[in-house]
């Protein structure tokens, strides 16, 4: 069992003026699905800041950060997209097991399922949870690796939301 480390949010990188965004700075796009099977691309959410989180219901650190993410969603959900991406590999995690967990815990944030593992691949997600903070223009600004506490989540949000 690897030792838990205290998560840190990486400082935002300096980017060009917002009017001329280099396409290479845009957060990598991917397609995920809602419980009903509707497809969503990450780029569909550009226009508002995005909190992108990768998680699974069997992951203890993921479970520990969920109440803070739900509270942040309730606070900022009108102004910030919360894209909570479940690593739905079909064996350790299924849409059913993940959605049952969310329902049982009463979380209100939207959940998307990475049934093709494309999203995890695009973000090099080898350990979860991991959270990416993307500004309204779609530029990846900061990330936090490991379970984020409420204060660290607020710090990350502060980088993408005035």
């Amino acid at each position: 069992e690897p030792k838990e480390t205290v998560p840190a949010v990486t400082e935002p990188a300096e980017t060009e003026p917002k009017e001329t965004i280099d396409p290479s700075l845009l957060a990598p796009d991917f397609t995920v699905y809602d419980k009903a099977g509707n497809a969503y691309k990450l780029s569909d959410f550009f226009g508002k800041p995005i909190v992108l989180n990768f998680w699974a219901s069997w992951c203890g650190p993921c479970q520990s950060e969920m109440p803070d993410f739900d509270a942040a969603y309730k606070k900022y959900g009108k102004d910030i997209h919360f894209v909570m991406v479940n690593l739905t590999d079909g064996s350790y995690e299924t849409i059913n097991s993940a959605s049952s967990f969310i329902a049982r815990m009463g979380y209100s944030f939207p959940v998307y399922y990475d049934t093709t593992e494309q999203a995890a691949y695009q973000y090099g997600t080898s350990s979860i949870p991991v959270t990416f903070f993307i500004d309204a223009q779609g530029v990846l600004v900061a990330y936090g690796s490991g379970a984020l506490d409420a204060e660290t989540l607020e710090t990350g949000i502060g980088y993408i939301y005035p």
Side-chain angles (χ1 to χ4, degrees):
E1 186 71 34
K3 186 178 184 310
E4 277 297 312
T5 56
V6 178
V9 172
T10 306
E11 290 294 319
E14 290 300 316
T15 57
E16 300 178 14
K18 296 295 183 213
E19 303 79 55
T20 57
I21 296 211
D22 178 342
S24 70
L25 295 175
L26 293 178
D29 209 2
F30 57 76
T31 302
V32 288
Y33 302 88
D34 67 12
K35 191 176 173 185
N38 300 305
Y40 292 85
K41 290 175 106 42
L42 181 69
S43 56
D44 294 341
F45 298 106
F46 291 178
K48 284 186 184 177
I50 300 167
V51 174
L52 170 62
N53 176 268
F54 290 94
W55 67 281
S57 65
W58 49 260
C59 160
C62 300
Q63 294 173 17
S64 73
E65 71 178 1
M66 290 281 176
D68 292 328
F69 276 80
D70 199 53
Y73 173 71
K74 287 175 178 161
K75 180 176 178 180
Y76 298 110
K78 288 179 178 57
D79 301 313
I80 297 174
H81 290 295
F82 282 73
V83 181
M84 305 294 288
V85 175
N86 177 263
L87 300 186
T88 319
D89 64 3
S91 57
Y92 288 112
E93 186 83 289
T94 63
I95 290 174
N96 194 36
S97 65
S99 60
S100 295
F101 168 77
I102 293 296
R104 189 170 67 249
M105 302 307 289
Y107 295 136
S108 57
F109 48 68
V111 174
Y112 303 93
Y113 301 92
D114 186 16
T115 56
T116 64
E117 300 176 21
Q118 180 197 17
Y121 176 78
Q122 286 283 42
Y123 283 79
T125 303
S126 56
S127 68
I128 51 173
V130 62
T131 306
F132 297 89
F133 299 92
I134 301 166
D135 73 13
Q137 286 74 34
V139 175
L140 181 55
V141 175
Y143 73 97
S145 187
L148 304 186
D149 60 21
E151 183 182 354
T152 307
L153 180 56
E154 282 287 335
T155 299
I157 289 170
Y159 291 143
I160 58 171
Y161 182 71

